Amino acid sequence: MDDLDRNILTLLGADARMSVATLARRLKVARSTIQARLERLETSGIIAGYTLKLGEAARQGRLRASVLLTIEPRSQAAILTRLKGIGEVERVFTTSGRFDLLLQVAASNTQVLDSVLDQIGALTGVKSSESLIHLSTRLDRAV
């Protein structure tokens, strides 16, 4: 990846709907150059897809939390299978350090969140959990 590739990714990160023509104009290169670069970035897996990023207005009414789990050795596969069945669990990350898994959870209200946290805590192989409720987003650079 060179500077042109990084600039393409930066612009698409801000607006994934930006046309090839607009990218070419902003980066002062030929449209065919942008098209070839995009094809290479897609083929190599650097660009996995183009998506919609919801703003705060669309997320209102959703309570979000990060859940940190410590699990029994060799129980990760079974726990991941069960977590996939809980619709409120949006993402699961493996981590290093004191916790084994970090979950991103979204629920419609505190009662649903409480129930989901109880379900997660009751999973066989979960030794302990810690929940952090998200209050507001102050910075979001995720692409």
Side-chain angles (χ1 to χ4, degrees), residues 124-138:
T124 303
V126 172
K127 288 170 48 176
S128 67
S129 68
E130 184 174 328
S131 305
L132 306 164
I133 296 175
H134 302 191
L135 299 177
S136 65
T137 301
R138 301 297 173 104

Side-chain angles (χ1 to χ4, degrees), residues 22-59:
T22 302
L23 284 167
R25 208 172 23 259
R26 290 214 183 148
L27 297 172
K28 298 178 174 56
V29 296
R31 185 184 178 289
S32 60
T33 300
I34 295 296
Q35 188 64 48
R37 293 295 184 110
L38 287 171
E39 287 174 12
R40 186 173 46 79
L41 291 167
E42 291 167 0
T43 302
S44 66
I46 292 172
I47 294 179
Y50 301 87
T51 187
L52 171 71
K53 182 178 176 182
L54 296 177
E56 284 300 316
R59 289 187 262 179

Side-chain angles (χ1 to χ4, degrees), residues 99-135:
F99 298 99
D100 301 302
L101 298 174
L102 182 145
L103 286 55
Q104 181 178 314
V105 175
S108 56
N109 57 53
T110 54
Q111 291 81 15
V112 172
L113 179 60
D114 190 38
S115 173
V116 168
L117 294 175
D118 287 345
Q119 286 178 56
I120 293 168
L123 293 175
T124 303
V126 172
K127 288 170 48 176
S128 67
S129 68
E130 184 174 328
S131 305
L132 306 164
I133 296 175
H134 302 191
L135 299 177

Side-chain angles (χ1 to χ4, degrees), residues 75-96:
S75 64
Q76 186 179 77
I79 289 172
L80 287 173
T81 299
R82 285 181 244 136
L83 289 172
K84 288 176 185 176
I86 301 173
E88 290 81 6
V89 176
E90 294 181 326
R91 291 187 175 105
V92 178
F93 304 94
T94 57
T95 65
S96 63

